[in-house]
Amino acid sequence: MSIWVKRSQTCGAGLILTLLLFTILAGTGEHAHSQLLKLGHYLWPDYSTLRNGTITTACQDDFNIDKRLDSLEMSFNEEQQEFDLLAETFNREDARRSLENQHWLCQQQQQAATLKEQSHSPLLTAFHIFENGFSSLSLLAINYKHWTLTLVLLMAAIIATIHQHHIAFRAISTRQDNLVSSSLQLLGNACVAISCFSYLQNNLAIEMSSIDNELLIALCAGFTFLAGINACQIFTKCRRMAKSGSWSKALLSTPIYTFMILGSAHHFFWVTDQVSGLAIYITQIYQLSGLYLTIGIYIWVGMLLKQSHIGEHLFGILKPWKLPPEYLAVIAIALMALPTAYTGASGIIVIAMGTVIYQELRRAGSRRQLALAVTAMTGSSGVVLRPCLLVIGIATLNKEVVTDELFYWGGRVFVLTLLVFLFYAVITKQKPNNRSHLSDAWPDCIIAIRQFAPYITIFALLTVLYHVVLNAQLDEFSAPIMLPMILIAIIFYEGKQSLRNKSLPVSTKNMIKTSSKIFNSVDGASVHIGALLLLMACSYAVGGVFENQSTTLESTSMLNGPTSSLFTIMSLFVITLVVIGMLMDPFGALVLVSGTLAPLAYQQGINPIHFWMTCLVAFELGYLSPPVSLNHLLTRQVVGEQEFILSKREGDTFYYRHERILLPLLVMGTTLILVAYAPLLFEL
């Protein structure tokens, strides 16, 4: 049984790797096709005409204008007599000009056909086939992006389910944990399968659908298969687990996506009696298929980064200065803000970079609680920076704001967040400053910079190569196709260096083959992709429940009352936004807020820029707030359960025993208060 499971996981990871590479290759193909068209026009000035196939003309060589005029005049006179129309005269001059224009156009077509026949060559044919291949690849990826996302989602979800590695409050460790978790997952997955089947029946009955029926069949089969895995785990894994645990804690081992499904299913199945409603909202993930495929690629990028030694060398530059862990944490958060701006979600960065950040902070002497807090906060301040997709989405869905204004104020919110974190880091610092002198630290720092220089060189060369060959800059659109290739090149470089240079870090002495590292990165990414994408898909169902509820902010007496102040109204929005951030992924929450809360805020006189800055900070606070604390759960996944257990044994006061929770709440909570309420003082 275990051999079959391992082989299935290997095949699944291989399929996910193929789909991700296909997505990357298709994105590269778009740039390559554009450049090939430019090259074609450079080599053949009339390439756009030459590539459009055979030109056929209906012109006659003996095109006699006078005969055609006589024929047209005769037909005109006959129609006048037949229909007894008012007497009109045939305008021979206008008819002549029209025929002359037709004749000229016909001659142009004949010349183009002759030119193409004369310009035809084996080189042109080969070039056209090559150029058309990239065009076909891009169109294939666009036409089948829904299927690509479906296969990645289901296959990764299957791997995450087999590993029992979904996002939950605690890991499965006892028989009770496994029984409760697997049973509830079975029920949740069965509900999705039933809803998809109902949605399919409705589509077949009305012969109309907003989504392909084949996709619904695939989703129905996929969630049925997930339910089957859960059923097998109930009977097989319970036998292997010798420990007995607490029934009260077993519920915490259930994945969060299961609670989302069961809560939404209760609403749609019994409250509104719309069985297909659950599937209708879950399939809204297809509205942003390209975005969620990009998220999968970014998670793979994080696993590739984990297989490399970039983080070790980067922090090696800072190590000679012997900075206090608190100051090093500020630098880490500042460094991670940039990749967060490209991905658009701090949760992705926690998965991608969490292990590296945690390990390097621990090597620098940081206490576990502080390292866990910083890892959970990784990227929380970067969602307001250019070119974050979330901010672009806000400007797209809300005409009241533009990206330049959002990024302008977002940069100031980012600086504010860093200053607030620095403030709390200073007042909670335990050890005194013991920094190295410049003369002592500089030589080791120079050595570390030299070791890091090849990485910068590879990055710069490949970035320039992409720019010159494909005209692609490292922006939010090109980063998903460029970063994986850059990191694979770096891993190949490290593999060759490990064979030549024995002075590399100790961890490289046990370096495995480069190809194995790449496959291991996909194997590790598959689990995280399945856990995160499934959670994001189910958050759309939660958003559907919110939309169907009649008790909204619009109907509250506090919001519509004559005595409501801006501070009271803003408080209601802040609380609601934090709760939404706790329950939904950022992109689904953005769509929900744009259609519900944002118009209410504008009506109440809140500045749109002010509202959305508050919204973004509130979302990040929601991801760090109990009882859900999504970023903390992701941190537990990437760091490991053992480190969490050890962290609970540290600390001599209440704050230091719970620093991993309290520090992020203090930083983001203080930032949210300043962002939400300070501007109101200037509006009074």
Side-chain angles (χ1 to χ4, degrees), residues 42 93 103 111-112 148 155 195 240 248 281-282 299-300 330 335 353 373-374 382 408 415 429 490 519 529 616 627 672:
Y42 176 78
E93 293 302 322
H103 189 207
Q111 291 177 4
T148 304
M155 190 57 63
S195 183
R240 303 174 189 172
S248 60
Y281 279 98
I282 287 180
I299 294 175
W300 182 35
V330 176
L335 289 175
M353 296 290 296
V374 174
Y408 174 82
V415 174
K429 186 165 62 70
I490 288 175
F519 187 81
I529 291 172
L616 291 174
L672 178 59

Side-chain angles (χ1 to χ4, degrees), residues 27-241:
T28 306
E30 293 181 11
H31 293 279
H33 181 245
S34 175
Q35 294 299 96
L36 286 173
L37 286 178
K38 293 180 181 178
L39 179 60
H41 283 285
Y42 176 78
L43 297 175
W44 299 277
D46 295 320
Y47 181 70
S48 57
T49 302
L50 299 176
R51 68 187 291 271
N52 287 330
T54 304
I55 299 176
T56 59
T57 61
C59 302
Q60 299 177 359
D61 295 335
D62 57 345
F63 193 90
N64 193 310
I65 294 179
D66 292 327
K67 289 183 179 180
R68 294 290 300 273
L69 283 172
D70 294 338
S71 176
L72 288 173
E73 184 174 6
M74 184 180 298
S75 299
F76 179 82
N77 293 331
E78 290 176 355
E79 290 178 359
Q80 290 284 328
Q81 296 175 1
E82 180 179 355
F83 294 102
D84 195 22
L85 298 175
L86 295 175
E88 293 184 8
T89 58
F90 179 73
N91 193 329
R92 195 175 182 88
E93 293 302 322
D94 289 344
R96 178 182 292 276
R97 283 193 294 268
S98 177
L99 290 175
E100 288 175 349
N101 290 334
Q102 293 179 27
H103 189 207
W104 180 82
L105 290 174
C106 187
Q107 289 177 333
Q108 294 297 316
Q109 292 178 359
Q110 287 180 335
Q111 291 177 4
T114 304
L115 175 64
K116 178 167 185 177
E117 185 177 352
Q118 294 174 351
S119 302
H120 180 75
S121 65
L123 177 61
L124 174 62
T125 303
F127 184 86
H128 174 60
I129 293 174
F130 185 65
E131 172 258 317
N132 190 59
F134 282 99
S135 176
S136 301
L137 179 65
S138 300
L139 291 175
L140 182 68
I142 293 173
N143 294 333
Y144 289 94
K145 63 180 179 180
H146 290 351
W147 274 106
T148 304
L149 177 61
T150 301
L151 292 175
V152 170
L153 171 63
L154 292 178
M155 190 57 63
I158 290 171
I159 295 175
T161 302
I162 292 174
H163 281 284
Q164 291 188 320
H165 210 280
H166 285 290
I167 301 170
F169 295 104
R170 60 189 297 268
I172 295 175
S173 57
T174 66
R175 290 184 179 180
Q176 285 86 346
D177 293 343
N178 181 73
L179 180 61
V180 172
S181 177
S182 298
S183 299
L184 291 178
Q185 285 183 71
L186 189 155
L187 180 60
N189 291 327
C191 286
V192 178
I194 293 171
S195 183
C196 289
F197 183 73
S198 175
Y199 192 11
L200 176 63
Q201 284 185 317
N202 294 340
N203 290 341
L204 294 176
I206 63 177
E207 297 182 355
M208 179 178 172
S209 175
S210 60
I211 183 174
D212 293 338
N213 292 332
E214 292 79 5
L215 287 174
L216 288 176
I217 295 173
L219 289 174
C220 185
F223 279 95
T224 301
F225 189 75
L226 288 174
I229 295 175
N230 299 139
C232 293
Q233 289 173 336
I234 293 174
F235 298 102
T236 57
K237 290 208 169 186
C238 283
R239 298 174 185 173
R240 303 174 189 172
M241 295 180 177

Side-chain angles (χ1 to χ4, degrees), residues 245-374:
S246 170
W247 289 101
S248 60
K249 295 181 179 179
L251 198 63
L252 298 177
S253 300
T254 305
I256 294 177
Y257 89 88
T258 304
F259 292 118
M260 291 181 171
I261 290 177
L262 295 177
S264 303
H266 174 268
H267 175 80
F268 289 111
F269 285 19
W270 285 279
V271 177
T272 63
D273 195 23
Q274 297 175 348
V275 178
S276 60
L278 182 62
I280 290 173
Y281 279 98
I282 287 180
T283 52
Q284 285 187 1
I285 193 174
Y286 291 120
Q287 296 179 2
L288 301 172
S289 296
L291 176 63
Y292 288 104
L293 285 172
T294 299
I295 289 174
I297 293 174
Y298 277 128
I299 294 175
W300 182 35
V301 167
M303 295 300 106
L304 286 170
L305 191 61
K306 184 179 178 180
Q307 294 290 330
S308 72
H309 300 281
I310 295 177
E312 185 176 346
H313 287 297
L314 182 60
F315 279 88
I317 298 174
L318 303 173
K319 191 178 298 183
W321 302 98
K322 296 182 181 179
L323 296 173
E326 292 80 5
Y327 296 161
L328 191 62
V330 176
I331 296 175
I333 290 179
L335 289 175
M336 291 304 103
L338 182 60
T340 303
Y342 280 99
T343 59
S346 59
I348 302 173
I349 297 302
V350 173
I351 293 176
M353 296 290 296
T355 303
V356 177
I357 296 297
Y358 181 81
Q359 291 175 350
E360 296 305 324
L361 286 174
R362 288 291 295 150
R363 288 193 184 103
S366 170
R367 50 193 181 274
R368 284 188 174 86
Q369 287 282 341
L370 176 62
L372 290 173
V374 174

Side-chain angles (χ1 to χ4, degrees), residues 517-572:
K517 279 196 165 190
I518 295 174
F519 187 81
N520 288 342
S521 68
V522 179
D523 194 27
S526 300
V527 176
H528 297 299
I529 291 172
L532 190 60
L533 288 187
L534 194 56
L535 182 68
M536 289 180 168
C538 294
S539 72
Y540 278 96
V542 177
V545 175
F546 285 158
E547 289 183 1
N548 282 271
Q549 292 293 336
S550 59
T551 55
T552 61
L553 277 177
E554 188 174 9
S555 61
T556 58
S557 58
M558 292 184 67
L559 190 61
N560 295 318
T563 59
S564 298
S565 66
L566 276 179
F567 286 92
T568 302
I569 295 170
M570 180 58 77
S571 298
L572 286 173

Side-chain angles (χ1 to χ4, degrees), residues 464-517:
V464 172
L465 182 64
Y466 269 97
H467 177 68
V468 173
V469 177
L470 299 178
N471 193 28
Q473 292 79 29
L474 188 62
D475 52 23
E476 67 271 22
F477 305 107
S478 300
I481 67 175
M482 294 174 60
L483 291 179
M485 299 298 103
I486 292 174
L487 286 172
I488 289 175
I490 288 175
I491 290 176
F492 271 100
Y493 162 77
E494 289 182 344
K496 290 187 177 182
Q497 285 297 107
S498 65
L499 300 176
R500 300 176 186 173
N501 191 355
K502 297 182 179 180
S503 64
L504 287 175
V506 178
S507 56
T508 60
K509 293 183 179 179
N510 299 323
M511 191 175 193
I512 58 178
K513 293 181 179 179
T514 303
S515 58
S516 299
K517 279 196 165 190

